[in-house]
Amino acid sequence: MLGRVKRKHEEDTDLECYTHQRQSILNISMCKLRTSSLRRVEPCLRRSVLIFNTLKFIEEELRQEGVKVYDASKPSILPSIQCEEMALDPIPCQDHMTHLELSSIGNNVNKTDIEEPKTPNVAVSDTAAIVSTPSSDNSSSAAPLILTTTSAIALSVPVTGSTDILGTHAVTPQRNIASTIENGLDKLLTVESLSSLNLNSLFEDENIIGSSILSSLSSCWTSPSKVDDPLGDIDMAGCDFDLLSPASPNVKLPVTPITTDDLARTFSNMDVLLPSSCGVDSCRNDLLWNDELENIMQVLVGM
Amino acid sequence: MVENGEQQGFTMAHMFDNCAIGEFPGMAFTMLRQANLTSKLGGMFNAAVNKTKSFTNGGDIQWCFSQVKGTVEEDVTEADIISCVEFNHDGELLATGDKGGRVVIFQRDELVSTSEGWSAADYLGKANQTHRGEYNVYSTFQSHEPEFDYLKSLEIEEKINKIRWLRRANPANFLLSTNDKTIKLWKISERDKRPEGFNTKDETGMLRDPTSVKALRVPILKPMELMVEASPRRVFANAHTYHINSISVNSDQETYMSADDLRINLWHLEITDQSFNIVDIKPANMEELNEVITAAEFHPSMCNVFVYSSSKGSIRLCDMRSRALCDQHTKLFEEPEDPTNRSFFSEIISSISDVKFSHSGRYLISRDYLSVKVWDLNMDSKPIETYPVHEFLRSKLCSLYENDCIFDKFECAWSGDDRHIMTGSYNNFFRMFDRESKRDVTLEASRENMKPRTVLKPRKVCSGGKRKKDEISVDSLDFSKKILHAGWHPSENVIAVAATNNLYIFQSKD
């Protein structure tokens, strides 16, 4: 009897240990994918593919265990409250995107504050670019998405090539039509279900957990009521993208420190999908942040 | 034939050497007579010598330090890190490439003994002093320069990924060297004479006025200091989108292939502006990409056959006669995964970092992260032999993943007689496997014991349990010192081992 209890206990701790290990591997993988895009030489494809496959393996395992991995078939899987929390999540592997996304969204949320007529347009293309970056990075099958949603604009932004984790060239036959879509973001913000569904189905293909989370994230932002809440108090009026040229590398997006801290706090109780919660502790360092931001800014400004 | 003769003389000399110091002089002489009877020299003779050794010391090669190249200083310059090692076909030349894009070629000194006829008595007397010629720098040149890809805004490193020698067809030597994107064919030629005594030109080389030349004088060749020139003969560029990981010269010596992460191209050595794509595993949709090519090599004698290995642990053998694009393999060498060892890292550690045909062409060796496997071309279901390289790391995979060591690409090499296999490990250790006696040994490339003809001390890593004396615990291994690249002389027991920025040369004691 005692033995059985003991064994049960051991099994429990084993399981705990296992999930802990899996968690740390997940975090390490996210970090690796994030940092590999920062190098000035093309990242090693073999390494990237092996890391991706490891992530896929873990995601598959999570799925089998019944952990809610968000997929296209259940776009409504996120209850609204969870959505709110999700929106605060800085995903380690793509947090440069997250920040920009947040900032650009912030930009749009406070659109009324912005006097210059040009600014919203800039924000539009940025946001679209970032939201769709994972898709244009890795796929040419993003075509349906591109055609149906506003993300086509993304392809007009060179961001696609340079943040490309797999070191591939984005296939961009839609480049020309992209620029014709001007009020893209508005559409993105209003046509909530459409974009979230498409993004989700895309990431479903891709099967990468980080992206799945990103996709669920994006489905959250598209609902204006939720975006208002965490970001309503952030004034993005002063955030002109021209400020963030490579010449001023120390300029940070105002939104960055606020979000990360908030996010880390609000998100710490979400244990299931957290590539982030531990990733934030273990991987983040300010120097890296700066470099990363600088890098992205270069890409954005250089476009 | 001359070469073979030399080799025979050399080997015989060493048998006398054996005879002087060995335990079975009678045996050595028996073997000698046998050897005289046989008309086949070279490899056959080597095999006989190996047999002799198996009577004396169990067939194990007694490895001795021979030479070390490179700086002694502790701090390593990134550009000096050796990134490939390659012997040429007769083993007289040894080329290394480094991260700085340089190629250094070493040439073996001629043996004093081969220059004039030596009697057996001389040999017996000098036995203890004679050892094989040393390798000394023959030529150094900058093969590749750093470049910038303006379309992708990315740097292209100058690091030499691979060097392959062409068989020698004339007094000059040719080699192929490649970085991530561009392959170059280099000619290495000697000049030790210069023509002198022209009367049609003056001292500065200007042509004289023909009317002032009254006689016809034939210029004569005067010896001068030996000059070794390396000149680029062909540049094969713009054919690879991904990083080139392998090049391999075909046995026909007219074509070669180059493999990157997703494609393999076939080139003619004379033609630089076109190549044939013979393998393409790039999926139409890059999202579906889950496998890359990690190495590729031509069969040593069948010019239509080649293999390539993948990051999923499989080796595909292709026959170019079947179709132009060899997307469909002829044979697939793959071992089913052991379910008991399944972990998050199963795929990463099964990724093959190197694949090499045996000299005979009958076998293949493949190196994955923890083991070396020998495959018989006639059996694709599983390897015929599997040798653990550093099994004790299986419990450390998580930290090796974290510090990226798990992605290290260890190479492997066959001995000239296909009996032994060598591959690298961490802490400047490398491993030797004897396929016949099934023995293995761990050796260390270090400056600690540089006395010539002193047998290297085998190293042992403690793999759990109580650590014995002389054992090194897994935790104290230095993972920054890794032996990724090594080469084995094509016919003798001489190996070249690259340890970061140093090149060690070891040879067998006898």
Side-chain angles (χ1 to χ4, degrees), chain A residues 18 21-22 24-25 28-29 32 39-58 61 135 137-142 161-162 166-169 171 202 205-206, chain B residues 148-149 152-157 181 241-243 261-262 282 284-292 294 311-312 342-345 347-348 351-353 398 400-404 406-409:
Chain A
Y18 181 78
Q21 197 197 15
R22 180 169 62 194
S24 59
I25 295 167
I28 296 166
S29 306
K32 282 187 188 300
R39 293 183 60 208
R40 291 197 167 271
V41 292
E42 208 170 308
C44 172
L45 188 62
R46 170 177 174 258
R47 180 175 170 275
S48 306
V49 165
L50 289 171
I51 295 172
F52 267 115
N53 289 351
T54 308
L55 278 172
K56 276 185 217 164
F57 176 85
I58 293 175
E61 211 174 65
S135 63
D137 274 349
N138 304 322
S139 72
S140 45
S141 77
S162 33
L166 289 177
T168 57
H169 308 290
V171 183
L202 177 75
D205 286 343
E206 202 176 343
Chain B
F148 194 76
D149 184 336
K152 289 193 202 164
S153 270
L154 290 169
E155 284 164 19
I156 301 171
E157 289 176 305
K181 301 283 175 183
T241 312
Y242 304 94
H243 290 178
D261 293 317
L262 298 178
K282 183 176 185 287
N285 177 359
M286 277 297 271
E287 270 178 54
E288 288 156 16
L289 177 68
N290 57 18
E291 187 173 15
V292 296
T294 53
S311 62
K312 278 195 176 295
R342 188 156 171 75
S343 81
F344 300 115
F345 306 113
E347 186 182 327
I348 301 183
S351 170
I352 294 176
S353 52
C398 199
L400 291 162
Y401 181 60
E402 191 163 11
N403 65 14
D404 258 9
I406 204 168
F407 301 108
D408 286 335
K409 286 188 84 176

Side-chain angles (χ1 to χ4, degrees), chain B residues 249-318:
Chain B
V249 181
N250 197 342
S251 53
D252 64 14
Q253 296 292 306
E254 281 184 8
T255 56
Y256 76 93
M257 67 172 167
S258 55
D260 69 22
D261 293 317
L262 298 178
R263 296 190 183 100
I264 302 178
N265 292 332
L266 180 68
W267 301 82
H268 191 281
L269 280 162
E270 299 291 326
I271 300 163
T272 59
D273 59 354
Q274 54 180 307
S275 65
F276 294 98
N277 182 224
I278 51 172
V279 174
D280 188 346
I281 64 162
K282 183 176 185 287
N285 177 359
M286 277 297 271
E287 270 178 54
E288 288 156 16
L289 177 68
N290 57 18
E291 187 173 15
V292 296
I293 299 170
T294 53
E297 196 184 41
F298 267 120
H299 189 278
S301 55
M302 288 191 273
C303 63
N304 53 298
V305 172
F306 69 93
V307 291
Y308 68 91
S309 61
S310 88
S311 62
K312 278 195 176 295
S314 56
I315 305 165
R316 289 176 175 83
L317 184 132
C318 302

Side-chain angles (χ1 to χ4, degrees), chain B residues 25-63:
Chain B
M27 175 56 76
F29 277 111
T30 321
M31 298 311 302
L32 185 65
R33 202 165 52 231
Q34 266 184 13
N36 282 339
L37 289 174
T38 174
S39 57
K40 285 187 183 172
L41 302 170
M44 192 74 162
F45 204 90
N46 274 345
V49 172
N50 274 336
K51 213 161 228 161
T52 317
K53 273 188 266 163
S54 69
F55 279 94
T56 56
N57 57 20
D60 292 340
I61 304 170
Q62 306 263 294
W63 288 102

Side-chain angles (χ1 to χ4, degrees), chain B residues 195-209:
Chain B
E196 261 183 25
F198 287 102
N199 62 347
T200 51
K201 288 177 190 167
D202 63 12
E203 287 72 34
T204 57
M206 291 289 288
L207 277 177
R208 286 176 208 253
D209 176 18

Side-chain angles (χ1 to χ4, degrees), chain A residues 99-118:
Chain A
H99 289 295
L100 281 170
E101 279 162 89
L102 288 174
S103 65
S104 333
I105 283 165
N107 220 344
N108 283 283
V109 167
N110 296 307
K111 219 187 280 182
T112 47
D113 298 338
I114 300 163
E115 255 92 64
E116 300 152 47
K118 199 184 153 201

Side-chain angles (χ1 to χ4, degrees), chain B residues 291 295 306-310 312-317 329 331-335 352 354-356 364-367 373 375 377 380:
Chain B
E291 187 173 15
F306 69 93
V307 291
Y308 68 91
S309 61
S310 88
K312 278 195 176 295
S314 56
I315 305 165
R316 289 176 175 83
L317 184 132
H329 51 261
K331 273 195 173 185
L332 175 69
F333 300 88
E334 200 170 34
E335 187 174 32
I352 294 176
D354 196 16
V355 62
K356 293 261 168 70
L364 280 170
I365 42 173
S366 66
R367 171 71 209 263
K373 289 171 183 164
W375 303 81
L377 286 201
D380 51 13

Side-chain angles (χ1 to χ4, degrees), chain B residues 47 50-51 54 58-60 385 387 417-421 433-439:
Chain B
N50 274 336
K51 213 161 228 161
S54 69
D60 292 340
E385 292 151 33
Y387 299 101
D417 58 4
D418 292 344
R419 177 178 164 173
H420 300 267
I421 296 162
F433 304 100
D434 183 340
R435 297 180 56 214
E436 266 173 43
S437 71
K438 304 290 173 199
R439 290 204 220 182

